[in-house]
Each structure stands twice: as structure tokens, then as C-alpha cells.
Amino acid sequence: MNVLGIETSCDETAAAVVVDGRDVRASCIFSQVALHGPYGGVVPEIASRSHVTTLPRMIEQAVAESGVGWGGIDAVAATFGPGLASSLLVGVSGARGIAQRLNKPLIAINHIEAHIYSVFLDGDAPQAVDMMPFLALVVSGGHTMIVRVTGLGQYEVLGRTVDDAAGEAFDKGANMMNLGYPGGPIIDKLARDGDAQAIHFPRGGRLKPSPMLGGMDPALCFSFSGLKTALLYHLRDTPLSGDAQALATLAASYQEAIVEALAGRCRTALAGYDVKALAVVGGVSMNGRLRERLADVAREAGVTL
């Protein structure tokens, strides 16, 4: 089956053609980083307008590069949510129009479910069903959660953030340190030369049971708002002086707090559930320090990362 996939949930305009669920024949992405950089974050109105002008070109390019051709498309899929409503509307509307024109099925895709499945897109990766049950750490600019996957389409959210996502904490922290946008990659690079233990930032604290958790274990939930406040107070009391080493140490210490919050809760989840693997998905999965710590956690638990 040849599926044309369309993604416009936030600030990247993307289209791809995937054969039989794993063979990515074409993947075309337009990044809006340059458009949002001056504002230090994603501006929804700018994002949606960019999608409108860019999506047709991305779709045409993906179909052409795939070699499948319009006649070979068997279904059209589009991210339906969660995400920015104005951005999602562009992708879903475009997908609906194409599906109607081709007289093919239109499939609405859950953003989080797509993140989880992404680890199996590589042809060298194992089949998804062979790794179940597994835990997935979904960590991106807008979402942070731990999900137990017991079968295809069978998910249990064990924990999630009660306020900000990890990626948002990276971006806003970088903004406070005047590092630029997007902040995650900048902090990751800068932190390599700093002392991660020099400054202690909160790791999310201990959450208490509350109705807003919906029955989830507080020990598996996240909170990053206090971390950002702690950075704000640190910068107030110890202003940046232009010392490159001091800045690297601040970035490393701030990053360590985010990474340890994520790794620690994954360790707790692995101790409480019998699973075969730990998957980390989403943009923050590119963070080098997070990869190191999760490798340690997976090794200690005896599961595949």
C-alpha cells in the first residue's frame, strides 16, 4: 500500500510517500525556523500562512521523488491532532481535497501515535509487534509523556507533563540565556563544554495525586515550569557576564535537570512494568545527553533501547 502522508501540526510543512508502512520512498520537509526565530518561538498565524503557500510544493515534490506517481497512491493520511489548530486545518483540508480528487481513503492520524510508530520506519528496525509490549517516552516541543504500548493501536498513558513540555523548557531556557531559537540543539551543543553538576536545578519535584492527573501515577508525571522559574532567579542573581565557560556550565546544568527528570521517570516506569523495550520519540530524542542517560537506564533494566 502506497500512502501519501501530510504533516502540518506545528511549524514544519512535510509530505511523504510510504510503502507498506515502513519503506519511506520520499520525505520532503520545509522548516520554518527562519520565520519564527526573530520571535523566539512559533507564531501560529505565521505558521499557518506558511503552510498554505508551501504545502502544495511539498506534496508535489514527494509524489514525484517517490516514483509512485499520483496513480499509485492508495490512501492519503494527515495529522489530525494534537497540534496548532490553524496549522492542522491546512494539512487536513489539503489531504481531504486530494483524497476526494483521487477517490481514495482519507486517514486521520494522531500526532502522538505517529511519534511512537516512527521508531519502526527504518527498514533495519524490528517489526513493531515483535517489540511489544514496550514503553515509549514521547518528548517534543509540545508533548512529554510515557506511554505503554501493548499492541497495535493499544496504548496506556502512564504519565505526562502537567504544565510545559521538555522541548518548550529547552526553548524558553535558551531564550532566557539569549542563545537563540530553537533552543534545544543550541543548549545540547553548548553543554558539551560545561560542568553539568555545577548548578543544581529542580528535577520536577514530587507531584501529588490530583484529579488533573486522571488516575496517572504522580511518580511518572512531569513538571518543568518550576525549572524555568529557577533559571530566571539564577539569572537575576548571577547575570550572564560574557564568560563562555560560565555560559556552557549554565547550559549543561539546566540541560541535566531536564534529562534527569526524563531518565528518572523512565527508570521508575521500567521497574514497574514488564516490557521488552524503551523507545524515545519526538524532537528532543535528538539530544545527545538524553540518549546517553536513556542508554544507561535501558541497560540497567535489561531492555532494548
Side-chain angles (χ1 to χ4, degrees), residues 98-295:
I98 293 172
Q100 289 179 343
R101 176 64 182 85
L102 297 178
N103 193 29
K104 299 296 182 180
L106 173 62
I107 306 168
I109 301 297
N110 179 280
H111 182 156
I112 305 301
E113 187 174 10
H115 269 312
I116 293 172
Y117 187 76
S118 68
V119 293
F120 301 106
L121 281 177
D122 189 333
D124 295 329
Q127 292 288 340
V129 293
D130 293 335
M131 300 307 294
M132 296 175 182
F134 67 90
L135 287 181
L137 172 65
V138 182
V139 58
S140 67
H143 307 279
T144 301
M145 62 180 66
I146 296 176
V147 182
R148 184 169 179 256
V149 183
T150 57
L152 293 176
Q154 299 174 5
Y155 313 101
E156 178 186 5
V157 179
L158 303 180
R160 62 173 172 79
T161 179
V162 299
D163 41 53
D164 302 328
E168 183 181 0
F170 270 115
D171 288 339
K172 290 187 175 178
N175 189 46
M176 284 189 274
M177 287 183 267
N178 298 317
L179 296 178
Y181 173 84
I186 300 173
I187 289 180
D188 186 16
K189 183 178 180 179
L190 194 62
R192 296 169 194 168
D193 297 322
D195 180 1
Q197 307 303 322
I199 307 168
H200 181 78
F201 287 108
R203 267 63 170 160
R206 293 193 176 187
L207 300 174
K208 298 179 180 179
S210 71
M212 70 181 295
L213 296 183
M216 288 181 291
D217 185 350
L220 299 180
C221 291
F222 307 85
S223 174
F224 293 106
S225 60
L227 169 62
K228 293 188 305 179
T229 302
L231 176 61
L232 180 65
Y233 288 159
H234 177 84
L235 290 171
R236 180 198 64 185
D237 299 336
T238 312
L240 295 174
S241 62
D243 184 337
Q245 185 58 50
L247 181 58
T249 290
L250 178 61
S253 298
Y254 183 77
Q255 172 179 268
E256 194 71 5
I258 298 175
V259 168
E260 284 305 313
L262 298 170
R265 285 155 181 77
C266 286
R267 181 186 295 108
T268 300
L270 288 171
Y273 293 88
D274 183 19
V275 295
K276 297 180 180 179
L278 170 65
V280 53
V281 303
V284 183
S285 69
M286 293 299 294
N287 182 274
R289 179 57 180 159
L290 179 61
R291 288 178 171 233
E292 290 177 1
R293 290 296 294 117
L294 290 181

